Amino acid sequence: MQYPGEHLLPGQIGHFFAVLSFVASIVATVAYFKSARSSVLTEQLSWKRMARVAFGVNTASVIVIFCLLLFLISNHYFEYYYVWNHSNMTMDMKYLFSCIWEGQEGGFLLWGLWQGLLGMILMGSAKTWEAPVMTVVSFAQFTIASMLLGIYIFGVKVGLNPFILVRQQFIDQPAFQNLSSTYMSHPSMKDGQGLNQLLQNYWMVIHPPVLFLGFASTLIPFAYAVAAIWQRRYTEWTKPVLPWALFSAAILGLGIMMGAAWAYESLTFGGYWAWDPVENASLVPWLILIAGLHTNLIYNSTGYSQRTTVLFYILTYIFVIYSSFLTKSGILGDSSVHAFATAGLNTQMTIWLAVIIIPSIWLYINRYKQIPTIVKEESTYSREFWMFIGSLIFFLSAMYVSIATSLPVVNKLFGTKFAVGEDVEFSYNRIQVWVAILTGILTAITQFFRYKDSDRKKVNKSILVPGIIALAATIAVGIFGPIEYYKYGAGFLAAIYIALFAGFYALIGNAVYIWQGLNGKLKAAGGSVAHIGFGMMLVGILISASKKEVLSLNTTGINLPFSPESKENPLENLTLIQGVKTDMGRFNATYTSDSLNKKGNITYFKVEFERKDGKENFVLFPNLIRNTKGAEGFSNNPDSRHYWNKDVFSYISYADDLDRKKDTASFRPHELAPKDTVFYSNGFMVLEEVDHNPADEKFSYTSRDTALVANLKVTVKDGRTYNARPALEVKNGMMVQQPDTVFAQNLIVNFNKIGEDNKKIEIGVKESSSILPYVSLKVYLFPYINVLWLGIIVMMIGFVMSIVRRVKMMKPRLNVVR
C-alpha cells in the first residue's frame, strides 16, 4: 500500500535485489562446493559455471543495492528510514555519499561490495584454487547478505532492511494508521536527521571504504588457508596466497592509520591513538595478519611454520568478524566513541561469529597432525628463527590487546567488573612499549641472517655498525632534545629511550641492509623499505607523544568550571575574550571573531597567533559543530598549523552561549589616577592603587619581572562589590596586556597604557547587554609528528613493492598452469 507522496518503487527494487543477493550467494556456495568435491572434470566445470554465474549475480545485486541507496539519499526521499535517519537537505554531495556507510546496514553493504569485487578478481586468477577458495568466499558473502534481508523468520529478525520506510519503523504512531494519511507533508518529514557531526569530515568519505576493503581482503588468506586444509593441498597454497596477504596487510594497515589521522584532526584527546576499544579491535587482526605474513615467508623459504601460518590466517578473519561484533552489537556501550547502538541483531551476529569460528577451527584441529612440519629445530643464527620470534611477539601483543578490549564482553557475560585500570593509556603502553622494543630490534637485525644458518662473525659485524649509529642517534636526542616524560616514573622513561633506540635501529639497520645485503637492488627491497617505514613510525610516535607540550597554560586567572566528564584541566586551557590579545607563553593569542557556516551548524572561531619574537603570525580556525543527532550541545573539531618538524594543534574546549546576539560593544578608554572613579551602566569602579610586580594567588611576578596591576573596586547600584585586576607586562621588550573580567556585570577591563606624566593610567572598559564572547582554547605542540605520517607512507610503499615483486614471481608459474 502506498501513502500520498511516497516513492515505493526504488525501495521495492532494492529489497528484491537484497533477497536475490542472498539466494545467489547460497547457490554460489553450493555450486562451488560441488565443483571442489567432484572428481569428474565435466562435472567440475558444470558446477563451476553455475557458481560463477551465481556469484556474479550476487556481486551485481550488491552494486545495484548500493546505487539505489545512493539514489534515495541524493534525492532526499525521506520516507525511507535510512535516508531520514542519516542525511538531510543541507549536506554536501560527498557527505551524502558517506551517509551510506554511517549506519549498520551501509557498513554491511560496503563490506559485501568489497568481498564481491575481490571474489570476482579471485574467480579470474585463482586457477586450480578457484573452486575451494571461492566456496569459502561465497559462504562469507552469504553471511554478509543475510545482514541486509530485514525479514522475520519464526519471529526472529534476520538482517536490517536499508529500504524500510519511516512509517514501518514507527508503525505504532497514529499518523500511519490509515492510507489517507498525509504524513509526508508533516514538517518533521521535510528534512532528515543528518550525519553525525563528528563524521562530517573528508576522512569519513575515504577512511571507512579503505578500512572495509581491509576487512574484506582478510577473507582471501582465510579462504586459502581453509581450502588448503580442507582439500589436503598443504604445499601448494602458500605462494599464491602471499600477494593477497601483503595486499590485505597494506590496505588494513592503511585504513587503521587513516583512522588515526582522522582522530588527530577531528578528535580532542590530543593525539592519534586513544586505545579506544574499536581502534583496538581493528588493530588486533592486523597484528595477527602481520604475524601470519612472516611465518608464510618462513615456510616458503624453509618449510617451517606452516601450521602456524594456517592458524594465523584463520584467526585474522575470525578477529575481523569479532571486531564487527564488538562494534555493531552495542556491547561496548559508552566505552567507545565508535560503537553503534544495538539494532537487535545480537543473536544473528553471535551466530555469524559462531559459523565462522566453529567450522574453521574444527577443521584446523582435525587436520592439524596432517599438516607437514619439520621436526628439526631451527638454528638460533637463522633468519627463520628470529622471524618466528617476531611473529610470536606480534601474536601475543594482539592477544593482550584483545583480552583487555573484551573485558566489557566478559563483564556482561559473567557479571564481573574487570577493567584495564583508571589510566587506560598506561595500561596498554606499559606492555606495548616492550613489544615496540623487541619488534624494532628484531626488524633491524633479522634480515642480516640467512635462512637455515648464518656466518656468526659476519652477522655480528653487520648488525654492529647500525646499532652504534642508532645508539648515537638516541644519545643525541637525549642531549639536544631530551624526552622529559616522567608521568609514569623513571623506569617507563628508560623504556621509552630503549624503544627510541629500537626505532632508530630498525630504520638504520634496514637502510644498511638494502645497501650492503642487497647491493642497492631496490626491486627486491620491499620488505626492508616497509621495515624502514615501521622504524620511522616508531620514532615519530615516541618523540611526538613523549615530548607533547601544552602551550595553552592559563595565565589569565579566569578558570572555567569544566565538567568532570570533559577531563579538561582548567590550568591547561587558556581563556580568550574576543578582541583581547592574551599571553600564551611563546605566543600571544587573540580570539578575533566567530562565524557560522551557510548551513548554520558549524561555528568557526578565528584565533590569531603571534610569536613574541616577531618571526611569525598565523591564524587557526578550530570549530564547534552543533549536534543534531543524539546528545545536545556541540562537538569539537580541531585545527592545526603544520611545519616540517612539528604541529601546533588547537581546539575549542569551551565556548559561551553560541546562540547569543552578536556583541557590538567596544572598549571605551578612561584616564585614571588612584582614587578616581569611572561609571558604567550598572554602577561604578574606583582605581584603588597600581601594584608593581605583585605576588599573590593570581599573579606570581618576581623582582626580575616588569609588570603593573591596576586594582579596581567595582561597586554595583545594589551595593554588591567585585574586584577587577587588569595587568600590563613587559616581556621580551614588548608590552603585553592581561585583561580582567567581571562576568556577573558583563564587564571587561583592560590596562591600556601608562599616562605620559606617569601619574595616571589608561584603562579600557567594555560592557555588553549579553554575555561577553569568550572561549577556552587548548593548544598542543607535537614535535616531529610528521616522521610518523612519513613512516606510514614509506611502509605502504614497501608493501606495494613487495606485492609487485611477488606477483611477478608468480607469473611463470601461472603460465605453466595455463
Side-chain angles (χ1 to χ4, degrees), residues 8 60 68 213 242 253 325 333 386 392 405 494-495 509 551 581 604 677 707 729 740 787:
L8 297 187
L68 280 170
L213 175 57
L242 191 54
F325 171 78
W386 293 108
L392 190 60
T405 304
L551 297 181
K581 184 185 294 186
Y604 290 90
T677 301
E729 305 170 354
D740 200 3
V787 176

Side-chain angles (χ1 to χ4, degrees), residues 149-176:
L149 284 178
I151 61 176
Y152 285 85
I153 300 177
F154 301 114
V156 178
K157 187 177 184 180
V158 179
L160 298 167
N161 179 7
F163 301 103
I164 192 172
L165 300 168
V166 171
R167 60 179 171 85
Q168 293 170 326
Q169 181 71 20
F170 303 110
I171 195 168
D172 295 330
Q173 294 297 315
F176 308 133

Side-chain angles (χ1 to χ4, degrees), residues 672-720:
L672 295 173
K675 306 306 179 184
D676 284 352
T677 301
V678 171
F679 289 90
Y680 71 100
S681 62
N682 200 37
F684 61 91
M685 61 185 73
V686 177
L687 176 62
E688 296 189 325
E689 60 179 344
V690 178
D691 285 344
H692 177 254
N693 291 354
D696 50 38
E697 69 279 358
K698 182 174 181 179
F699 300 105
S700 56
Y701 300 115
T702 68
S703 58
R704 296 188 298 272
D705 297 318
T706 302
L708 296 175
V709 175
N711 292 319
L712 294 148
K713 184 176 181 179
V714 180
T715 303
V716 189
K717 291 177 181 178
D718 62 10
R720 287 176 295 159

Side-chain angles (χ1 to χ4, degrees), residues 375-600:
V375 178
K376 180 183 176 183
E377 292 186 4
E378 304 99 319
S379 166
T380 56
Y381 262 76
S382 66
R383 182 182 291 188
E384 64 267 24
F385 177 83
W386 293 108
M387 284 178 67
F388 182 80
I389 295 298
S391 298
L392 190 60
I393 290 169
F394 271 110
F395 177 70
L396 293 176
S397 170
M399 290 302 97
Y400 172 78
V401 174
S402 180
I403 291 169
T405 304
S406 300
L407 290 180
V409 181
V410 174
N411 292 337
K412 198 159 190 175
L413 288 175
F414 301 104
T416 53
K417 296 182 179 179
F418 295 119
V420 294
E422 291 186 9
D423 192 333
V424 175
E425 179 184 343
F426 181 62
S427 298
Y428 286 99
N429 286 346
R430 65 183 176 182
I431 303 297
Q432 298 308 317
V433 69
W434 296 105
V435 172
I437 289 168
L438 293 172
T439 53
I441 292 173
L442 289 174
T443 299
I445 68 174
T446 299
Q447 294 198 92
F448 289 102
F449 291 88
R450 299 178 67 85
Y451 284 111
K452 298 188 177 176
D453 206 358
S454 309
D455 184 323
R456 301 191 177 199
K457 289 184 179 179
K458 187 176 180 180
V459 170
N460 292 338
K461 183 179 178 181
S462 297
I463 66 177
L464 181 62
V465 174
I468 292 172
I469 298 172
L471 181 62
T474 307
I475 293 172
V477 170
I479 294 173
F480 299 107
I483 296 173
E484 298 176 352
Y485 196 67
Y486 294 100
K487 183 177 180 180
Y488 301 118
F492 191 73
L493 178 63
I496 288 178
Y497 270 107
I498 299 171
L500 186 62
F501 163 77
F504 279 126
Y505 200 6
L507 195 165
I508 296 165
N510 281 277
V512 170
Y513 177 76
I514 293 173
W515 170 63
Q516 185 185 78
L518 298 176
N519 297 316
K521 296 178 181 177
L522 285 176
K523 289 184 179 180
S528 296
V529 171
H531 293 158
I532 288 173
F534 171 78
M536 294 174 67
M537 285 175 58
L538 189 53
V539 170
I541 288 169
L542 291 166
I543 293 181
S544 64
S546 301
K547 292 181 67 63
K548 181 175 73 174
E549 179 184 352
V550 177
L551 297 181
S552 54
L553 297 177
N554 195 354
T555 59
T556 65
I558 306 172
N559 297 331
L560 298 179
F562 292 102
S563 65
E565 292 78 16
S566 71
K567 298 182 180 179
E568 292 287 0
N569 182 350
L571 298 178
E572 294 182 349
N573 290 267
L574 183 65
T575 303
L576 298 178
I577 299 165
Q578 187 171 348
V580 178
K581 184 185 294 186
T582 306
D583 178 30
M584 196 185 78
R586 69 192 74 173
F587 293 95
N588 288 318
T590 308
Y591 156 41
T592 59
S593 62
D594 57 69
S595 59
L596 277 173
N597 66 338
K598 292 180 180 179
K599 298 167 186 174

Side-chain angles (χ1 to χ4, degrees), residues 196-201 262-270 562 565-566 568 573 601-605 621-627 632-639 649-655 658 775-778:
N196 185 295
Q197 280 62 47
L198 284 176
L199 302 182
Q200 293 186 34
N201 185 288
W262 184 0
Y264 177 69
E265 288 191 12
S266 299
L267 298 180
T268 57
F269 54 76
F562 292 102
E565 292 78 16
S566 71
E568 292 287 0
N573 290 267
N601 64 329
I602 304 177
T603 303
Y604 290 90
F605 297 85
F621 293 90
N623 64 69
L624 294 179
I625 309 175
R626 184 181 296 276
N627 295 326
E632 295 182 357
F634 294 83
S635 300
N636 317 64
N637 206 12
D639 193 17
F649 174 97
S650 70
Y651 66 89
I652 301 296
S653 54
Y654 182 86
L658 295 181
V775 297
S776 185
L777 185 73
K778 186 72 168 280

Side-chain angles (χ1 to χ4, degrees), residues 12-13 36 74 108 121 138 142 189 196 259 295 331 343 357 378 530 612 654 659 675 745 774:
Q12 292 167 346
I13 295 173
S74 59
F108 286 124
I121 295 171
S138 298
F142 151 74
M189 298 301 298
N196 185 295
T295 56
I331 201 165
I357 293 176
E378 304 99 319
K612 291 181 180 176
Y654 182 86
D659 294 322
K675 306 306 179 184
Q745 294 296 296
Y774 64 92

